[in-house]
Amino acid sequence: GAVVSQHPSRVICKSGTSVKIECRSLDFQATTMFWYRQFPKKSLMLMATSNEGSKATYEQGVEKDKFLINHASLTLSTLTVTSAHPEDSSFYICSVPIGGRRNQPQHFGDGTRLSIL
Amino acid sequence: GDSVTQMEGPVTLSEEAFLTINCTYTATGYPSLFWYVQYPGEGLQLLLKATKADDKGSNKGFEATYRKETTSFHLEKGSVQVSDSAVYFCALSTLENAGGTSYGKLTFGQGTILTVHP
């Protein structure tokens, strides 16, 4: 069964709306989660590392005030796209690393397709 | 920094053809290597992995061998099926530390679109 649950799977909304995406780790506690953005026919771009109990770590070029990340508990991280505009339309995917070693794979949510009209 | 380079696609094959998708990497440490697959409209699924030199990862008929001397991790399958049509991502993982917790941080290649025709 699914290890990571991401919700919603698809959002269509008007420009200026704020959209919240949830990522839940179903089977284990996760002090760290990752948020990626994927453009059409492109690879995944790491946006930020979500850290439980502390501020998220953002990658260079990602606007902190635009993409708000809250790691509220050991099983839940949320990404809020504030005042979304058409250029924010994309496929957003979260992932959870398993264990504390480099050889452990990450488990990915099914992604959220965000379309801003 | 770390990076992963995959062969550019798209790759189009007939059913039962042989598949190779090349992947090379650069890393400052000793990474683990992964292939992930993304079916249309879905998230990523782990296909296979290898954690040290000369390891061979395999799953669903796909194989890849960790070649440290050539810094490569090429994906192969002897006979592809229509259901293998997807985007394939090569990735490496190195260890990061944050707040006293260590975790594997992934670096992805650009992805290769595979289309298999009947």
Side-chain angles (χ1 to χ4, degrees):
Chain A
V3 177
V4 178
S5 173
Q6 189 173 338
H7 179 80
S9 59
R10 187 176 182 96
V11 180
I12 302 173
C13 58
K14 294 181 180 179
S15 184
T17 306
S18 291
V19 179
K20 179 184 284 188
I21 303 170
E22 294 186 346
C23 181
R24 293 183 183 275
S25 176
L26 298 179
D27 292 339
F28 48 88
Q29 295 180 336
T31 56
T32 302
M33 296 185 184
F34 298 103
W35 286 98
Y36 295 86
R37 181 173 179 176
Q38 185 180 31
F39 294 96
K41 300 184 179 180
K42 297 287 186 182
S43 187
L44 281 75
M45 179 192 78
L46 179 64
M47 298 175 64
T49 302
S50 175
N51 303 304
E52 191 271 336
S54 63
K55 292 181 180 180
T57 306
Y58 289 82
E59 297 298 305
Q60 192 172 7
V62 178
E63 298 177 59
K64 301 179 184 181
D65 296 332
K66 177 70 165 178
F67 299 100
L68 300 179
I69 291 173
N70 181 26
H71 202 130
S73 73
L74 288 171
T75 59
L76 174 64
S77 174
T78 59
L79 168 67
T80 301
V81 183
T82 61
S83 187
H85 289 93
E87 59 266 28
D88 299 323
S89 299
S90 196
F91 194 56
Y92 295 87
I93 308 176
C94 70
S95 74
V96 179
I98 310 301
R101 298 183 293 277
R102 62 167 174 78
N103 60 351
Q104 295 299 319
Q106 293 186 20
H107 288 268
F108 288 82
D110 283 340
T112 298
R113 185 160 303 283
L114 176 62
S115 300
I116 308 298
L117 304 177
Chain B
D2 299 339
S3 68
V4 177
T5 302
Q6 288 178 236
M7 66 183 286
E8 290 192 20
V11 175
T12 303
L13 296 173
S14 298
E15 204 165 26
E16 298 183 2
F18 183 84
L19 168 71
T20 299
I21 301 178
N22 289 340
C23 172
T24 57
Y25 68 90
T26 59
T28 52
Y30 196 145
S32 291
L33 302 175
F34 303 87
W35 277 98
Y36 283 86
V37 58
Q38 184 180 30
Y39 297 102
E42 299 183 10
L44 272 71
Q45 302 175 25
L46 177 67
L47 181 60
L48 53 84
K49 71 172 186 178
T51 59
K52 61 183 188 296
D54 300 325
D55 267 3
K56 177 186 283 187
S58 61
N59 185 26
K60 299 180 181 179
F62 291 89
E63 294 183 339
T65 300
Y66 191 145
R67 300 290 187 198
K68 199 168 190 293
E69 65 276 13
T70 55
T71 62
S72 65
F73 192 55
H74 304 321
L75 181 68
E76 296 182 338
K77 186 173 185 181
S79 176
V80 293
Q81 305 299 313
V82 172
S83 57
D84 294 327
S85 298
V87 184
Y88 291 82
F89 293 94
C90 185
L92 66 82
S93 174
T94 53
L95 205 59
E96 296 284 329
N97 292 285
T101 300
S102 61
Y103 56 87
K105 184 173 181 178
L106 281 174
T107 300
F108 285 93
Q110 65 268 43
T112 302
I113 300 172
L114 171 65
T115 303
V116 181
H117 293 298

